[in-house]
Amino acid sequence: GHLLEKHRMTLADLESDVVLVARDLLPSDMISMNRARVKAVVTEAGGRTSHVAILARAFEIPAVLGVADALSRLRGSSLVAVDGAKGLVIGDPDAATLTRSAAARDAAAAAERELGALRDLPAETIDGLRVKVEANIEMPEEALGVLAHGADGIGLFRSEFLFLGGHVPDEEEQFHAYRSVIEAMGGRTVTIRTLDIGGDKVLPELGAQDEKNPLLGWRAIRFCLSRVDVFKTQLRAILRAAAFGETRVMFPMIATADELERALAILETAREECAAAGQQVAKSLSVGIMIEIPSAAMTSDILARKADFFSIGTNDLIQYTMAVDRGNEKVAYLHEPYHPAVLRLVQRTIESGKAAGIPVGMCGEMAADPASAIVLLGLGLDEFSMSSAAVPAVKRAIRSIGIEEARAVAK
Ligand code: PEP
Ligand code: MG
């Protein structure tokens, strides 16, 4: 662009309201686009749990992914109706469709207002078993939405999105970002996941390039254990921010106990470095891991000896159990939370956590489905974490049932 002296239009430059239709988008496109102008997103690639879908939910932008030939079929449409809940995309809707769309939108808004009444009520079964319903966030500014939707805290802060907006934040910037979220939550727990880059979240600035098998490659904790400089910088920022409120840290993509031990050792070094520099850090910090690789679920009894809590990441756990790329629309039917293999891994993880006396949560999309929430409650899950907008409906599901009935459903 510079050489040709041409201005390349980016999604940040959008000046009028649009429905964004693309073959595929990157998570970084979602971060950098002018969100106020994007009324809906439609892509040919991707699935329910790809990071573009997760970000669309976080930003409360209706989205439908995996629409075959969307570009050619919508080319020339001047108006597009999108129903993210039903997965409908209609080019040039006629008057009757427009009326129906408007009515559906109003009904959804009314249902949301009704759910708003649950905001200050606990996530508790009718016979008094209390669990936590927390929120997933990607950007610090989402903390307000977490409170508005009545979440008990933040069960997953996907910290890598701070890095994907075109600038790699240093320790001070990270510290301020984490601290702002922790303070905004006013005493509710904030669970910060350490960098999960690699895979579809490429970050060439840090050497996390596209790879031949990105989802099986140099991602998350694997990246951090070999880029100790990057990892320790983040851990110091988290330790310092944790002095300002209830904070937990968790490591993504743990596959072996050895990885967990190495990560814990680096955390200790980071703590010592902060102390040597005279920086104030949290006195104690709960350290957990994501269970999102079958090897971790199968050895969760061993991992539980070294972890303070588990959080099950079903988006990846299903991907790696079923051998299905979570972003590939052609095989999306295999990304199935109710497959017995997935349920058994979830059950095993919860049982290992219970035996070790540590809490077990879930921050994958499965936890956001009210029907699944009943099953998970019955299996003994302690903490549910999801995009903020999904919190009220899951709370309602939990408040609608007794624990014995939930156990029967699970069985
Ligand atoms: C998961 O894998 O379920 C998860 C919560 O992490 P992410 O979606 O960021 O991979
Ligand atoms: Mg994951």
Side-chain angles (χ1 to χ4, degrees):
H2 282 301
L3 289 174
L4 297 172
E5 293 183 6
K6 277 192 182 152
H7 176 65
R8 182 170 167 265
M9 194 192 162
T10 71
L11 295 175
D13 302 325
L14 293 170
E15 277 166 7
S16 52
D17 290 353
V18 299
V19 171
L20 185 57
V21 186
R23 160 74 202 129
D24 198 3
L25 291 169
L26 289 171
S28 49
D29 295 325
M30 295 294 289
I31 300 282
S32 56
M33 72 189 187
N34 179 353
R35 274 176 242 156
R37 291 300 191 191
V38 178
K39 298 297 151 189
V41 169
V42 178
T43 63
E44 295 184 351
R48 276 188 55 77
T49 65
S50 54
H51 286 102
V52 168
I54 287 170
L55 287 165
R57 271 193 284 276
F59 302 152
E60 300 189 31
I61 298 175
V64 184
L65 279 69
V67 181
D69 304 322
L71 283 175
S72 56
R73 287 156 81 178
L74 292 172
R75 181 157 292 133
S77 298
S78 56
L79 195 64
V80 180
V82 179
D83 183 334
K86 292 209 180 93
L88 281 179
V89 181
I90 302 166
D92 286 325
D94 58 20
T97 310
L98 273 181
T99 310
R100 263 202 315 278
S101 301
R105 185 189 51 204
D106 294 346
E112 198 179 315
R113 276 196 301 277
E114 201 181 305
L115 281 171
L118 293 171
R119 201 181 69 180
D120 300 319
L121 296 175
E124 189 175 84
T125 59
I126 48 182
D127 43 5
L129 179 82
R130 181 87 185 254
V131 292
K132 276 187 165 181
V133 177
E134 301 180 308
N136 296 348
I137 67 166
E138 286 69 36
M139 302 298 279
E141 58 265 30
E142 288 173 61
L144 287 179
V146 173
L147 297 175
H149 286 101
D152 291 316
I154 293 175
L156 168 64
F157 179 177
R158 290 183 164 98
S159 66
E160 61 276 7
F161 286 98
L162 289 176
F163 292 65
L164 291 171
H167 162 73
V168 173
D170 63 15
E171 180 178 329
E172 280 315 299
E173 287 170 273
Q174 289 187 57
F175 164 67
H176 287 295
Y178 304 143
R179 179 179 165 179
S180 73
V181 172
I182 292 163
E183 289 187 329
M185 292 308 291
R188 294 175 187 77
T189 306
V190 177
T191 309
I192 303 175
R193 175 174 77 183
T194 57
L195 263 184
D196 182 0
I197 55 165
D200 61 342
K201 291 175 271 192
V202 290
L203 193 57
E205 293 89 332
L206 291 182
Q209 309 274 9
D210 206 3
E211 299 178 308
K212 258 199 177 143
N213 283 306
L215 295 167
L216 300 179
W218 198 40
R219 200 189 139 186
I221 198 69
R222 304 163 181 196
F223 171 88
C224 285
L225 290 175
S226 51
R227 283 298 307 268
V228 176
D229 53 332
V230 176
F231 194 29
K232 258 196 318 187
T233 302
Q234 178 174 42
L235 292 172
R236 283 195 305 266
I238 294 173
L239 282 161
R240 290 169 55 200
F244 293 87
E246 228 13 73
T247 311
R248 311 192 297 183
V249 65
M250 80 179 162
F251 303 129
M253 293 270 295
I254 292 286
T256 71
D258 173 65
E259 283 177 333
L260 173 56
E261 279 165 20
R262 285 162 61 200
L264 288 170
I266 296 169
L267 179 63
E268 264 330 290
T269 315
R271 190 190 291 279
E272 283 158 20
E273 286 177 3
C274 289
Q279 284 162 329
Q280 189 194 356
V281 298
K283 286 197 186 62
S284 69
L285 185 67
S286 190
V287 187
I289 59 173
M290 292 201 57
I291 301 287
E292 51 185 346
I293 297 182
S295 66
M298 291 302 290
T299 56
S300 48
D301 54 327
I302 299 169
L303 293 167
R305 295 179 203 147
K306 299 262 177 213
D308 297 324
F309 64 94
F310 286 155
S311 183
I312 305 172
T314 45
N315 306 337
D316 279 314
L317 184 62
I318 300 171
Q319 161 166 271
Y320 297 125
T321 304
M322 304 298 292
V324 54
D325 177 343
R326 62 195 260 194
N328 185 335
E329 69 285 359
K330 296 189 187 68
V331 288
Y333 74 97
L334 284 168
H335 202 276
E336 175 49 74
Y338 288 129
H339 190 283
V342 176
L343 287 175
R344 285 180 188 177
L345 291 172
V346 168
Q347 180 180 38
R348 192 179 185 113
T349 304
I350 294 173
E351 282 169 1
S352 298
K354 292 249 175 289
I358 62 171
V360 181
M362 179 179 286
C363 57
E365 288 301 311
M366 183 182 185
D369 172 7
S372 302
I374 302 285
V375 176
L376 296 166
L377 183 70
L379 290 174
L381 196 77
D382 304 298
E383 301 167 1
F384 301 67
S385 194
M386 63 210 65
S387 60
S388 295
V391 164
V394 169
K395 232 193 219 185
R396 179 170 66 184
I398 290 167
R399 291 178 58 83
S400 72
I401 198 164
I403 186 64
E404 281 314 321
E405 201 187 335
R407 284 188 187 130
V409 172
K411 201 161 174 212

